[in-house]
């Protein structure tokens, strides 16, 4: 039997998005990380991981980015990759990763920053990434 983990809406880069301990900037993020990591450890290892959209928060153009840790979307992608790599580290195995696209407001109107994340876990740019599930 395969163990499957689904994560979504990480919103890395937002001050209340999920963040690896190296990137946490407040107590809410620290508590959220502890809850997340406890759950990961409880059910690890995972054979398949689905990252189901909005892994980054984007540039927050509607509010001028005032709630962001960083508006640099490549930095946000790096933050998301740390979280997804931790899943493999905790489980002491390398699961298969699959991705779906999030909303363009968060992940890029004219570019696809989720491709940057997916490329770190797949061989080809379009491999293992699907369209938004609505």
């Amino acid at each position: 039997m395969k163990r499957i983990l689904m994560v979504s809406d990480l919103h890395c880069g937002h001050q209340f998005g999920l963040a690896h301990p190296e990137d946490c900037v407040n107590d809410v993020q620290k508590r959220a990380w502890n809850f997340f990591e406890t759950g990961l450890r409880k059910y690890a290892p995972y054979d398949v991981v689905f990252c189901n959209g909005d892994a980054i928060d984007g540039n927050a153009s509607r509010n001028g980015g005032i709630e962001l840790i960083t508006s640099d979307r490549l930095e946000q992608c790096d933050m998301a990759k740390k979280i997804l790599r931790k899943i493999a580290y905790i489980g002491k195995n390398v699961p298969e990763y699959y991705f779906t696209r999030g909303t363009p407001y968060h992940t890029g109107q004219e570019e696809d920053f989720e491709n940057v994340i997916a490329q770190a876990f797949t061989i080809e740019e379009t491999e293992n990434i699907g369209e938004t599930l609505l």
Side-chain angles (χ1 to χ4, degrees), residues 41-95:
R41 289 184 186 284
K42 182 175 181 179
Y43 297 106
Y46 305 97
D47 300 302
V48 179
V49 175
F50 290 96
C51 185
N52 204 12
D54 291 346
I56 66 169
D57 202 61
N59 61 12
S61 59
R62 292 183 191 147
N63 69 6
I66 60 171
E67 297 175 347
L68 295 177
I69 297 167
T70 178
S71 61
D72 182 328
R73 290 173 288 177
L74 291 176
E75 264 185 73
Q76 292 177 9
C77 288
D78 287 342
M79 296 166 87
K81 288 186 276 188
K82 278 186 210 173
I83 292 168
L84 294 170
R85 284 187 184 112
K86 186 70 172 185
I87 295 165
Y89 177 79
I90 286 173
K92 296 180 176 70
N93 72 319
V94 180

Side-chain angles (χ1 to χ4, degrees), residues 8-18 53-57 103 106:
S8 69
D9 296 280
L10 302 176
H11 289 279
C12 293
H14 190 279
Q15 64 182 331
F16 296 115
L18 188 64
D54 291 346
I56 66 169
D57 202 61
T103 54
H106 293 294

Side-chain angles (χ1 to χ4, degrees), residues 97-108:
Y97 287 86
Y98 294 90
F99 299 83
T100 58
R101 298 189 192 287
T103 54
Y105 173 74
H106 293 294
T107 62

